[in-house]
Amino acid sequence: MDMLTITNLEKRFGDKEVLRGLNLSVPEHSVFGFVGRNGAGKTTTMKSVLGLLRPENGEILVSGERVSYGQTKTNRFIGYLPDVPEFYSFMTPREYLALCGQICGMKKTDITTRGARLLELVGLEDEKHRIKGFSRGMKQRLGIAQALLIRPKLLICDEPTSALDPVGRKEILDILLAAREETTVLFSTHILSDVERICTNVAFLHEGKTAMQGSVAEIRNLHASEEFTVETGREEDVEKLLQAFDGSVRKERNLILFRGDKNKMFSVLKYIADNQIAMQKVEKMEPSLESLFLEVAKP
C-alpha cells in the first residue's frame, strides 16, 4: 500500500512553473528520499501535501484520503518537520512536548509516556536546559520528537540535515531510520550520501517532474554499469593487461578500468591466472545515486 500518492501535480507562482505534472508514490513503512537541487520544488510539494498551497492541477492522497487546500483533515495522519523549526525558547523539551500534546487533545498520561519515549529516541531524555540554548542539531532532534508525538502514519521532514555537521547529520539519520518502525518517513534533501545511507526508496525531482523513482536497489539494477576494475600487486603487470585488452584504461598506478559484461571479466581473470599475475582486488563498478542524479538532471 502507498501511504502517499501524488498524481499530475502542477503548481506555479506567477509565470514560474514549479511543479509540472509531478507523480510520486511513497510505499508504507519506507524511508523515502525526495531528491532535488535547491529550488527544485521539494518544499512546494510538501506544503501541497499539507494542504497549505493550492495546486493548479493534480491529486494528492494521504492514507487513501484526498488532500484539500485549506482543509487539514488529512493532517491527522502527518507529522511535519520544516527545514528551520521554531520553538518557544523559554521552555524545556519536556514542557514543549507537553504543550503540543495538550493542543492535539492527547491525554495527560499519554503525553507523559509518549513524550518520555520520544525524548529517549532523539537523545534528549536527560536534557533539562531551556530550548533557547540548543544547537541546530538539538532543535532538529526535538522537532522530530514533536512531529512523531501524535503517532503519525507519515513523517515529512524538509531538508533535515542540510545545515548540520557530520556528527549531527548521522544522529538525525539514525533517528529517521529508527522511526521507520512505527511510521513512513519522507524527507527531502540534496545530499545524496544521506539517501544512500538510510533510504529504501528514492525519487529524483527535475524541472518540476519526477525524473526517476523506485527502490534504491531497483534503480541501481536498472542502471547497472558494465565496468569493473582490477588492482594488481606490481606495476609491470599493469602494462601486460593494458596491452592484452583493448579499451582498458589505467586509473591509478596499479589500477585498471575495464568495460564489458561478465564474460569480459571472466576473460580478464583467466588471463591473470594463466599469467600468474598477482592481483590485489577485482571490483564491479556500481552506479552511485549521485552519478544517476547528475545523469537525469542534465540541463
Side-chain angles (χ1 to χ4, degrees):
M1 175 184 172
D2 289 334
M3 180 53 60
L4 171 65
T5 304
I6 299 176
T7 307
N8 198 32
L9 190 66
E10 298 177 5
K11 178 62 184 174
R12 70 172 57 93
F13 296 97
D15 59 356
K16 180 177 175 57
E17 286 185 290
V18 178
L19 301 178
R20 307 178 182 181
L22 175 69
N23 293 289
L24 192 69
S25 298
V26 179
E28 189 175 14
H29 285 289
S30 61
V31 180
F32 198 102
F34 191 36
V35 179
R37 294 175 175 173
N38 290 332
K42 303 186 297 295
T43 298
T44 297
T45 301
M46 293 180 167
K47 287 185 176 179
S48 298
V49 172
L50 293 166
L52 301 177
L53 292 176
R54 187 197 301 273
E56 272 65 49
N57 191 30
E59 181 180 64
I60 304 172
L61 300 177
V62 176
S63 191
E65 292 189 22
R66 182 168 183 169
V67 175
S68 298
Y69 167 70
Q71 299 179 18
T72 57
K73 184 174 67 171
T74 49
N75 284 354
R76 72 187 189 277
F77 300 130
I78 301 174
Y80 177 59
L81 175 68
D83 55 344
V84 183
E86 297 290 343
F87 306 94
Y88 293 112
S89 60
F90 59 87
M91 290 184 167
T92 66
R94 206 170 295 274
E95 290 170 345
Y96 179 72
L97 291 185
L99 173 64
C100 293
Q102 291 169 16
I103 292 173
C104 294
M106 296 173 63
K107 296 180 179 178
K108 275 191 175 181
T109 54
D110 194 23
I111 292 172
T112 301
T113 55
R114 180 69 174 165
R117 181 183 178 281
L118 290 173
L119 289 175
E120 182 178 0
L121 173 69
V122 301
L124 295 174
E125 66 273 23
D126 296 323
E127 187 57 62
K128 295 180 173 58
H129 292 92
R130 303 196 181 279
I131 299 171
K132 66 180 178 181
F134 279 19
S135 67
R136 177 71 182 268
M138 293 171 71
K139 288 181 178 179
Q140 293 292 85
R141 285 188 275 149
L142 178 58
I144 293 175
Q146 179 268 318
L148 288 171
L149 189 62
I150 61 169
R151 298 179 176 86
K153 293 184 177 182
L154 176 64
L155 172 64
I156 297 177
C157 300
D158 192 0
E159 300 274 6
T161 64
S162 61
L164 303 181
D165 60 30
V167 174
R169 281 174 53 202
K170 180 182 182 303
E171 291 172 346
I172 296 300
L173 293 175
D174 288 344
I175 292 167
L176 295 181
L177 190 59
R180 180 192 176 191
E181 295 181 7
E182 61 178 64
T183 189
T184 302
V185 178
L186 168 67
F187 75 96
S188 68
T189 186
H190 60 274
I191 304 173
L192 277 299
S193 59
D194 289 354
V195 177
E196 290 186 310
R197 178 180 169 84
I198 69 167
C199 285
T200 59
N201 297 72
V202 64
F204 294 149
L205 179 63
H206 180 57
E207 294 185 347
K209 296 181 179 181
T210 304
M212 186 186 301
Q213 73 172 307
S215 74
V216 173
E218 288 170 349
I219 288 176
R220 280 185 167 148
N221 287 336
L222 286 173
H223 298 267
S225 170
E226 290 195 341
E227 295 180 339
F228 61 96
T229 59
V230 172
E231 184 178 353
T232 66
R234 300 182 306 174
E235 190 172 353
E236 54 264 35
D237 291 329
V238 173
E239 297 301 328
K240 293 181 183 179
L241 288 166
L242 291 173
Q243 292 173 13
F245 295 95
D246 292 337
S248 55
V249 179
R250 188 175 197 156
K251 302 297 287 184
E252 297 175 13
R253 191 178 71 173
N254 288 13
L255 187 69
I256 308 172
L257 175 68
F258 296 89
R259 293 183 175 87
D261 58 14
K262 62 182 180 181
N263 293 324
K264 177 70 170 286
M265 183 185 291
F266 293 150
S267 297
V268 173
L269 293 176
K270 184 177 184 303
Y271 181 89
I272 289 172
D274 291 344
N275 291 272
Q276 297 184 337
I277 293 175
M279 182 180 68
Q280 299 293 327
K281 181 174 65 174
V282 59
E283 182 178 12
K284 192 175 187 303
M285 302 300 291
E286 295 291 344
S288 67
L289 290 182
E290 181 176 4
S291 65
L292 291 175
F293 177 67
L294 291 174
E295 180 181 326
V296 302
K298 287 179 181 176

